């Protein structure tokens, strides 16, 4: 009797490790520069926030209020947005079988950028118009690229889809640049939106959460299907898998995740590429592990990036998108070097 | 087990297959031969339902076009000429892909699926490699891993497109002997394209010679591998003699056409 457990049995261990890293990052981010609070007090306070649990953290009400009203939503938004972007990146990479695919590949960023710019320029006084516009813009950009790609090439093919994404991105970016010239005095607001911000508080968190939940569940469910797609469309079909349908489902879920992330936080770059790659280097190439680990790893990465963004030049803040790129690029190179393999 | 009538495939502006008919009996090994571009690979893809085609294909007694891809995948296992091997995937996970037709769309594999995969790996002497990344394997090991995936599919018929290209003599023999053994022990039906005519004549029960998308000859190796047919359709000057076991051996003759 063969009891071949298979190497994939090591998976739960990875997830546990990643969750520990995420928890430590979140505690560190909650501490975030306040010198007179100890990590232990923060842990106690987090436990106290849990429903039905009461412990005394020894923090003054003011400190508690600061943590709860400012730090906590910020850490949570960073975690959700980072997780969504990294997982969407992994999803796109699986669909396009291209390690350089990122969540913005199909025009989501350009669509959101154009719509957010339009909202800032045309509806400056309508509160809350930017996230809605950005969400619709991201979805619209992807839809445009997808429709264009499918009418220009073989239905369900990937090459024309990528080209369509490039075309849509440059077209929408051109319009966006044109629109922003109408209100030069709003340039600062436009750019600060583009470079990303996770400091919008609890509203921002509740706004993104439902989309995050739906897209995360959909993507995580498709891990095995993405593994099958990785042998190519023909072989996947020969295994009885409807390749075009799987691709469409994953694209929908990843685009929803991207649109939700972009809507609340702007265009935060690099997370969607760096995190899945680091995960792949460490834990192997199966999407059944890459997707959940990207979700957790992306969350930890953006929580830490936000911590850096608000501490290095405190009391001023760096845009978080700048940090992800500034820290992300060398970090990426370091991981690539450390895990260098003979065959790659 | 497999029969095709008037099979035609049009790709772009070309008739790549044009009215090919043939029959593969249960447990038989059919070798598809023919010059480059004759349509051999396309024939296997048409059988697998991967390219649009006209004409009728029967699998067992059922018309292939009535089957869902999943049902077809339980009857036919296909290994392409150049399989895409995801370099980061482990050998075990790759072979496990063969169980896809039995796993629900969004479900996960059962214990049984893992056991089948494990025992296939054991049969192909791959157990020691189960945890290795596919990208780290040698050419011969890869070919065996692809075969393992096809066997994990537990389909009664195997369609193998050039299973021995890029293999040295010993590994060619190893793979072909393996397929032959499986065919005898499990009663598998095998259709392979093979570009080496002597090898094709040695292992196949019958050969199908394709040229320009049409079936030029079919039947026992000795009837298809004649100096006249090979000379004409491959545009080659050859000498063909019976080998030690009576099967035809094809020699090139210097100073050919
Ligand atoms: N997608 C395609 N579009 C147009 N022609 C194709 C396509 N795929 C293959 N062909 C042509 O069909 C012919 C048969 O190809 P193939 O079946 O791969 O030949 P073989 O395997 O016998 O060498 C070749 O001439 C090839 O150029
Ligand atoms: Mg071929």
């Amino acid at each position: 009797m063969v009891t071949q457990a298979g190497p994939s049995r090591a998976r739960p261990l990875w997830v546990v490790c990643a969750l520990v890293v995420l928890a430590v990052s979140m505690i560190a981010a909650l501490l975030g520069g306040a010198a007179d609070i100890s990590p232990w007090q923060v842990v106690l306070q987090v436990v106290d926030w849990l429903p039905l649990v009461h412990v005394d953290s020894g923090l003054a009400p003011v400190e508690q209020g600061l943590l709860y009203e400012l730090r906590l939503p910020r850490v949570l938004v960073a975690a959700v947005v980072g997780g969504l972007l990294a997982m969407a990146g992994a999803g796109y990479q699986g669909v396009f079988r291209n390690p350089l695919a990122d969540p913005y590949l199909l025009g989501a960023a350009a669509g959101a950028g154009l719509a957010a710019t339009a909202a800032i320029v045309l509806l400056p006084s309508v509160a809350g118009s930017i996230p809605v516009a950005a969400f619709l813009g991201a979805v619209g950009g992807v839809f445009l690229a997808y429709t264009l790609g499918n009418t220009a090439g073989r239905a369900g093919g990937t090459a024309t889809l990528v080209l369509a994404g490039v075309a849509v991105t440059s077209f929408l970016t051109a319009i966006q640049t044109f629109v922003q010239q109408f209100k030069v005095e709003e340039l600062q607001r436009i750019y600060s939106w583009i470079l990303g911000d996770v400091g919008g508080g609890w509203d921002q968190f509740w706004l993104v959460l439902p989309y995050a939940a739906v897209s995360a569940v959909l993507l995580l469910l498709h891990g095995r299907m993405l593994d099958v797609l990785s042998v190519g469309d023909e072989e996947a079909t020969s295994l009885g898998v409807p390749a075009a349908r799987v691709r469409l489902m994953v694209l929908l879920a990843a685009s929803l995740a991207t649109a939700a992330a972009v809507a609340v936080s702007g265009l935060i770059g690099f997370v969607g590429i760096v995190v899945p790659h680091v995960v792949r280097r460490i834990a192997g190439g199966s999407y059944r592990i890459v997707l959940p680990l990207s979700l957790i790893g992306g969350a930890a990465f953006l929580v830490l990036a936000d911590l850096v963004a608000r501490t290095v030049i405190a009391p001023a803040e760096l845009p978080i998108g700048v940090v992800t790129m500034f820290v992300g690029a060398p970090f990426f190179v370091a991981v690539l070097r450390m895990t260098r393999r003979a065959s790659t | 087990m497999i029969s095709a009538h008037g099979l035609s495939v049009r790709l772009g502006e070309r008739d790549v297959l044009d009215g090919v008919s043939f029959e593969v009996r249960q447990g038989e090994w059919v070798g598809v031969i023919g010059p480059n571009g004759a349509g051999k690979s396309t024939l296997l893809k048409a059988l697998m339902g991967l390219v649009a085609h006209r004409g009728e294909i029967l699998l067992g007694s059922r018309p292939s076009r009535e089957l869902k891809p999943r049902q077809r995948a339980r009857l036919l296992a296909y290994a392409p000429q150049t399989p895409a091997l995801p370099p980061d995937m482990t050998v075990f996970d790759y072979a496990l892909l063969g169980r896809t037709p039995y796993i629900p769309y969004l479900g996960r594999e059962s214990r049984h699926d893992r056991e089948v995969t494990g025992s296939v790996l054991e049969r192909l002497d791959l157990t020691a490699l189960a945890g290795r990344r596919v990208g780290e394997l040698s050419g011969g090991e890869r070919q065996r891993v692809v075969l393992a995936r096809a066997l994990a599919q537990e389909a009664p018929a195997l369609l193998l497109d050039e299973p021995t290209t890029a293999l040295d003599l010993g590994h060619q023999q190893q793979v072909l002997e393996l397929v032959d053994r499986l065919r005898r022990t499990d009663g598998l039906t095998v259709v392979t394209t093979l570009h080496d005519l002597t090898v094709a004549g040695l292992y196949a029960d019958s050969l199908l010679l394709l040229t320009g998308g049409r079936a030029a000859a079919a039947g026992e190796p000795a009837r298809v591998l004649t100096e006249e047919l090979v000379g004409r359709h491959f545009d080659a000057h050859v000498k063909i003699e019976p080998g030690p076991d009576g099967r035809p051996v094809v020699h090139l003759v210097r100073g050919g056409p």
Side-chain angles (χ1 to χ4, degrees), chain A residues 4-5 8 224 235 288 343, chain B residues 84 92 104 107 109 114 133 149:
Chain A
Q4 171 60 265
S8 36
R224 195 179 62 81
E235 285 180 70
R288 300 164 73 173
S343 62
Chain B
F92 185 88
E109 74 278 358
R114 292 182 157 269
R133 300 190 321 142
R149 193 201 76 196

Side-chain angles (χ1 to χ4, degrees), chain B residues 35-42 44-45 81-82 161-162 193:
Chain B
N36 292 333
K40 305 181 292 293
S41 299
T42 308
L44 294 194
K45 287 181 190 171
Q81 188 164 359
T82 42
D161 198 355
E162 304 281 0
T193 65

Side-chain angles (χ1 to χ4, degrees), chain A residues 17 23 29 35 38 51 53 69 116 134 138 140 156 175 188 192 194 213 217 223 235 284 288-289 296 312 330:
Chain A
C17 290
S38 80
V53 187
E69 289 305 327
I175 303 181
Q188 157 110 46
S192 82
I194 285 179
V217 167
E235 285 180 70
R288 300 164 73 173
I289 189 70
I296 305 171
V312 277

Side-chain angles (χ1 to χ4, degrees), chain B residues 30-64:
Chain B
V30 169
V32 182
I33 57 172
N36 292 333
K40 305 181 292 293
S41 299
T42 308
L43 180 72
L44 294 194
K45 287 181 190 171
L47 287 179
M48 198 65 233
L50 303 179
V51 290
H53 54 83
R54 281 176 291 119
E56 182 155 57
I57 299 170
L58 292 175
L59 300 177
S61 54
R62 301 183 61 179
S64 174

Side-chain angles (χ1 to χ4, degrees), chain A residues 270-321:
Chain A
F270 231 67
V271 184
I273 286 201
V274 175
V275 175
H277 277 272
V278 172
V279 167
R280 227 170 260 137
R281 283 290 173 135
I282 295 173
S286 168
Y287 280 94
R288 300 164 73 173
I289 189 70
V290 170
L291 285 169
L293 283 190
S294 294
L295 178 68
I296 305 171
F301 180 77
L302 209 60
V303 166
L304 291 178
D306 180 51
L307 175 64
V308 173
R310 62 195 157 83
T311 48
V312 277
I313 55 166
E317 274 183 27
L318 280 172
I320 187 168

Side-chain angles (χ1 to χ4, degrees), chain A:
Chain A
M1 187 71 249
V2 186
T3 48
Q4 171 60 265
S8 36
R9 274 296 160 86
R11 281 166 189 162
L13 188 65
W14 284 117
V15 173
V16 171
C17 290
L19 284 172
V20 170
V21 170
L22 175 61
V24 171
S25 315
M26 289 175 86
I27 299 292
L30 280 173
L31 270 170
D36 48 345
I37 304 180
S38 80
W40 181 239
Q41 283 178 306
V42 171
V43 173
L44 286 179
Q45 187 58 51
V46 170
V47 173
D48 186 42
W49 283 330
L50 296 177
L52 309 175
V53 187
H54 297 288
V55 290
D56 185 9
S57 63
L59 291 177
V62 182
E63 290 169 326
Q64 287 192 19
L66 169 89
L67 282 181
Y68 190 79
E69 289 305 327
L70 293 177
R71 297 264 169 84
L72 185 60
R74 188 167 182 139
V75 167
L76 290 177
V77 169
V80 171
V81 166
L84 285 180
L85 287 176
M87 196 177 53
Y92 275 105
Q93 286 150 25
V95 162
F96 291 103
R97 260 176 272 131
N98 182 343
L100 293 178
D102 82 351
Y104 305 140
L105 186 76
L106 285 192
L114 171 58
T117 304
I120 293 171
V121 170
L122 304 174
L123 309 165
S125 53
V126 182
S129 64
I130 297 179
V132 176
F135 184 82
L136 295 177
V139 172
V142 172
F143 179 77
L144 208 61
Y146 192 80
T147 316
L148 192 66
N150 272 348
T151 46
R154 199 164 48 86
T158 55
T160 43
L161 215 47
V162 174
L163 292 176
V166 172
V168 166
T169 296
S170 33
F171 183 70
L172 295 182
T173 306
I175 303 181
Q176 187 256 337
T177 315
F178 179 72
V179 172
Q180 78 186 16
Q181 299 312 315
F182 283 106
K183 279 254 179 109
V184 182
E185 63 274 21
E186 295 283 17
L187 272 185
Q188 157 110 46
R189 245 182 104 197
I190 291 170
Y191 273 97
S192 82
W193 180 83
I194 285 179
L195 284 171
D197 175 25
V198 292
W202 283 109
D203 291 350
Q204 207 181 17
F205 176 69
W206 295 121
L207 195 62
V208 72
L209 197 62
Y211 301 101
V214 169
S215 56
V217 167
L218 269 178
L219 278 172
L220 292 177
L221 280 176
H222 276 84
R224 195 179 62 81
M225 280 291 138
L226 281 176
D227 280 351
V228 180
L229 272 200
S230 67
V231 297
D233 279 19
E234 270 187 358
E235 285 180 70
T237 310
S238 83
L239 290 167
V241 165
R245 198 176 96 197
V246 171
R247 182 174 303 120
L248 180 62
M249 281 306 293
V250 175
L251 276 184
L252 275 178
S255 303
L256 181 66
T258 307
V262 167
V264 296
S265 67
L267 305 178
I268 298 174
F270 231 67
V271 184
I273 286 201
V274 175
V275 175
H277 277 272
V278 172
V279 167
R280 227 170 260 137
R281 283 290 173 135
I282 295 173
S286 168
Y287 280 94
R288 300 164 73 173
I289 189 70
V290 170
L291 285 169
L293 283 190
S294 294
L295 178 68
I296 305 171
F301 180 77
L302 209 60
V303 166
L304 291 178
D306 180 51
L307 175 64
V308 173
R310 62 195 157 83
T311 48
V312 277
I313 55 166
E317 274 183 27
L318 280 172
I320 187 168
V322 172
V323 178
T324 56
M325 287 184 266
F326 190 78
V327 180
F331 176 65
F332 192 30
V333 173
V335 171
L336 288 186
R337 288 185 64 94
M338 272 188 322
T339 59
R340 184 161 42 190
R341 289 197 171 109
S343 62
T344 38

